[in-house]
């Protein structure tokens, strides 16, 4: 089993210009990016019943109406995503778009567009590599203490998250109960003897949707986060 950084940048683009979409796709192909297309209402297609979470949203100033409202919609829907306005009319328009909520702006017909796209994707991948790690279809965001399993976010209690984080940290090695107890509760607290089993049971039920990852019991040794 391998544990790897989840460093693919998901970049969504909203544009009615097929040529611009093609430029974005061709510029970023093979760079650890996944290009997603927003529909006319600003939504992304669901994958396995889950809403996708883009790292960057590119919005085409030249083809989208009511641009300020669209940016506000993106900010509400994906508050952590970077919003980039493409094809701003002039410098005054750039300033206005930044004031209205864009994180970055690119002028229309700018020769810097490919370089800006490369930089945007590189920054998103770097942030993901620092914050998110993956085992199979299980993703942990250490910075925000969030977990996704098979594409869906899983709501965990603080203790459940800490137990999973410990198993994740040591994967693919077996983690003994003493190590789990110290990792989650510290040296000064002694939980009930069956507390670890209880929390592992909670986690197994919440991660049951995974197609490849499971918490395995290793007799007389502890638990490990295993991948089939």
């Amino acid at each position: 089993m391998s544990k790897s950084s989840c460093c693919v940048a998901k970049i969504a683009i909203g544009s009615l210009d097929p040529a611009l979409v093609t430029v974005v796709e061709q510029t970023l192909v093979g760079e650890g990016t996944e290009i997603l297309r927003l529909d006319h209402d600003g939504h992304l297609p669901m994958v396995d019943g889950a809403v996708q979470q883009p790292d960057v949203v590119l919005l085409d100033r030249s083809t989208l109406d009511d641009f300020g409202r669209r940016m506000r919609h993106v900010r509400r829907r994906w508050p952590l995503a970077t919003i980039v306005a493409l094809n701003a009319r002039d410098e005054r328009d750039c300033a206005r778009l930044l004031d209205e909520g864009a994180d970055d702006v690119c002028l229309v017909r700018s020769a810097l567009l490919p370089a800006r796209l490369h930089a945007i994707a590189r920054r998103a991948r770097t942030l993901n590599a620092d914050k998110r790690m993956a085992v199979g279809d299980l993703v942990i965001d250490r910075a925000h203490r969030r977990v996704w399993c098979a594409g869906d976010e899983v709501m965990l209690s603080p203790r459940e998250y800490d137990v999973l984080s410990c198993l994740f940290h040591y994967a693919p090695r077996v983690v003994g109960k003493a190590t789990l107890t110290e990792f989650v509760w510290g040296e000064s607290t002694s939980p009930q003897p069956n507390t670890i089993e209880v929390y592992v049971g909670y986690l197994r039920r919440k991660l049951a949707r995974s197609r490849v990852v499971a918490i395995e019991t290793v007799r007389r040794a502890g638990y490990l986060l295993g991948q089939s």
Side-chain angles (χ1 to χ4, degrees):
M1 181 186 70
S2 63
K3 178 168 59 176
S4 61
S5 58
C6 183
C7 55
V8 173
K10 289 191 174 185
I11 299 180
I13 179 167
S15 175
L16 301 180
D17 181 1
L20 176 61
V21 175
T22 299
V23 167
V24 172
E25 292 176 337
Q26 291 180 345
T27 300
L28 298 178
V29 64
E31 289 205 7
T33 58
E34 180 182 353
I35 307 300
L36 312 171
R37 297 192 187 189
L38 295 169
D39 64 20
H40 294 298
D41 296 319
H43 299 113
L44 289 173
M46 300 183 74
V47 175
D48 295 328
V51 177
Q52 301 193 77
Q53 302 292 325
D55 300 297
V56 179
V57 179
L58 308 175
L59 297 176
D60 182 6
R61 175 76 166 97
S62 63
T63 64
L64 299 177
D65 297 329
D66 203 353
F67 200 77
R69 180 189 63 79
R70 287 182 180 270
M71 285 199 298
R72 290 191 296 272
H73 171 78
V74 168
R75 184 65 71 202
R76 287 193 304 270
R77 190 168 183 82
W78 300 296
L80 300 180
T82 298
I83 300 174
V84 182
L86 303 180
N87 289 328
R89 297 165 185 154
D90 49 36
E91 289 189 358
R92 181 177 297 179
D93 196 31
C94 286
R96 182 165 52 251
L97 294 172
L98 290 169
D99 287 340
E100 290 181 356
D103 298 301
D104 198 359
V105 182
C106 190
L107 282 167
V108 65
R109 292 184 296 277
S110 172
L112 293 176
L113 177 59
R116 298 287 285 278
L117 291 174
H118 289 309
I120 289 163
R122 183 171 60 248
R123 184 166 62 237
R125 289 195 305 274
T126 300
L127 289 173
N128 280 352
D130 288 341
K131 295 177 181 177
R132 296 181 186 176
M133 299 290 289
V135 170
D137 57 2
L138 182 65
V139 178
I140 264 193
D141 184 332
R142 295 172 295 175
H144 301 96
R145 294 175 64 87
R146 297 171 68 185
V147 175
W148 292 264
C149 182
D152 293 328
E153 185 167 4
V154 181
M155 298 296 108
L156 301 180
S157 71
R159 293 292 193 208
E160 290 168 348
Y161 176 87
D162 288 339
V163 171
L164 180 61
S165 180
C166 183
L167 294 171
F168 198 99
H169 175 76
Y170 284 96
R173 291 172 287 167
V174 177
V175 187
K177 291 183 180 179
T179 300
L180 274 165
T181 300
E182 183 176 344
F183 188 98
V184 177
W185 283 272
E187 297 179 352
S188 59
T189 304
S190 298
Q192 294 298 316
N194 67 335
T195 300
I196 293 294
E197 289 90 336
V198 170
Y199 278 99
V200 168
Y202 293 156
L203 286 171
R204 281 174 170 156
R205 287 190 288 274
K206 292 188 176 183
L207 303 180
R209 72 191 74 187
S210 173
R211 301 172 181 84
V212 294
V213 176
I215 300 174
E216 302 175 13
T217 300
V218 180
R219 186 174 176 83
R220 297 178 181 173
Y223 302 95
L224 67 82
L225 194 62
Q227 182 178 348
S228 59

